[in-house]
Amino acid sequence: MKAVGPTALPDDHVGTIVTTLEMAARPRPRPIPDATLRLTRWERPAPEKYRALFRRVGTRWLWYSRLVMDDVALTAIVHDPLVEVYAAVDRAGIEVGMLELDFRRPGACEIGYFALVPELAGRGLGRWLMAQALLLAWRGQVERVWLHTCTLDHPGALGFYRAQGFVATRRTIETFVDPRTIGVLPVDTAPQVPLLARTR
């Protein structure tokens, strides 16, 4: 087999390997870990409220897709009755995590977004949030729960999902314009990803 060499990207683009993972059977019930957080359902969140939390949990990892949608497109998703948005809230009432479940495909639930603010990493709260996610996702006629992660996410994300019982099923390569170069995210965002191009 002929080796495939590296592919150069424009300086204003970022590349990442995306891994799709799934559970094809309902996991055994297990206790939800203790946490100082509570999960709150956001019914029909306002676009700006949604984007504020999206930024808080995702900026470090260059999350940008929901930031460049206009209000109509974003509302069509997060107000869909088959999409559920939850916020993880701390004791002070501050939203510090996001969970989004998408039931729009019959028989399946996609964990569309799953994150806590970076400051909470390493405290075991991800296991608490995933336990909540699986409890909510595996219901009704659901036969498959799936999600995806990429090499721009937290370095431990892939291992974490596999430890929770997800199995990798597909790998793809995705490239996109670096959101820091077009003003969608601050230039000092995600210092772990080199910014090669000049910003506008």
Side-chain angles (χ1 to χ4, degrees):
M1 178 181 294
K2 185 177 179 181
V4 178
T7 300
L9 295 178
D11 286 351
D12 65 344
H13 278 61
V14 174
T16 184
I17 298 172
V18 180
T19 302
T20 301
L21 302 101
E22 70 171 27
M23 280 186 185
R26 190 183 301 264
R28 283 183 173 182
R30 50 186 168 181
I32 294 179
D34 291 333
T36 56
L37 307 178
R38 59 185 169 83
L39 199 64
T40 301
R41 172 82 184 271
W42 276 5
E43 299 275 1
R44 301 173 64 83
E48 283 313 308
K49 181 179 181 180
Y50 177 95
R51 289 192 193 100
L53 182 56
F54 188 91
R55 283 181 184 276
R56 203 173 306 144
V57 301
T59 293
R60 170 82 178 177
W61 318 115
L62 294 183
W63 287 14
Y64 76 99
S65 59
R66 296 288 173 85
L67 304 179
V68 295
M69 288 182 176
D70 62 31
D71 286 356
V72 173
L74 179 58
T75 299
I77 296 171
V78 299
H79 288 193
D80 190 300
L82 296 179
V83 175
E84 299 178 2
V85 179
Y86 297 85
V89 181
D90 68 12
R91 288 174 175 169
I94 299 171
E95 291 93 4
V96 294
M98 168 180 274
L99 171 64
E100 185 172 314
L101 303 177
D102 187 339
F103 294 93
R104 289 177 293 180
R105 291 188 184 181
C109 174
E110 178 188 3
I111 301 177
Y113 290 98
F114 175 97
L116 294 162
V117 293
E119 295 81 4
L120 295 182
R123 301 188 190 182
L125 294 171
R127 292 193 303 275
W128 169 83
L129 187 58
M130 180 54 72
Q132 299 278 1
L134 294 177
L135 188 66
L136 292 163
W138 282 105
R139 65 182 198 252
Q141 302 302 310
V142 169
E143 299 177 346
R144 174 179 179 257
V145 175
W146 66 285
L147 53 78
H148 61 266
T149 186
C150 74
T151 49
L152 292 176
D153 283 339
H154 188 285
L158 182 56
F160 170 80
Y161 293 133
R162 294 176 71 187
Q164 304 308 305
F166 286 89
V167 176
T169 60
R170 185 169 183 249
R171 220 173 9 230
T172 56
I173 295 174
E174 180 179 331
T175 63
F176 54 90
V177 174
D178 190 325
R180 298 169 296 183
T181 68
I182 55 176
V184 175
L185 293 176
V187 295
D188 58 352
T189 293
Q192 75 278 8
V193 181
L195 179 59
L196 301 183
R198 292 183 179 179
T199 58
R200 290 180 185 173

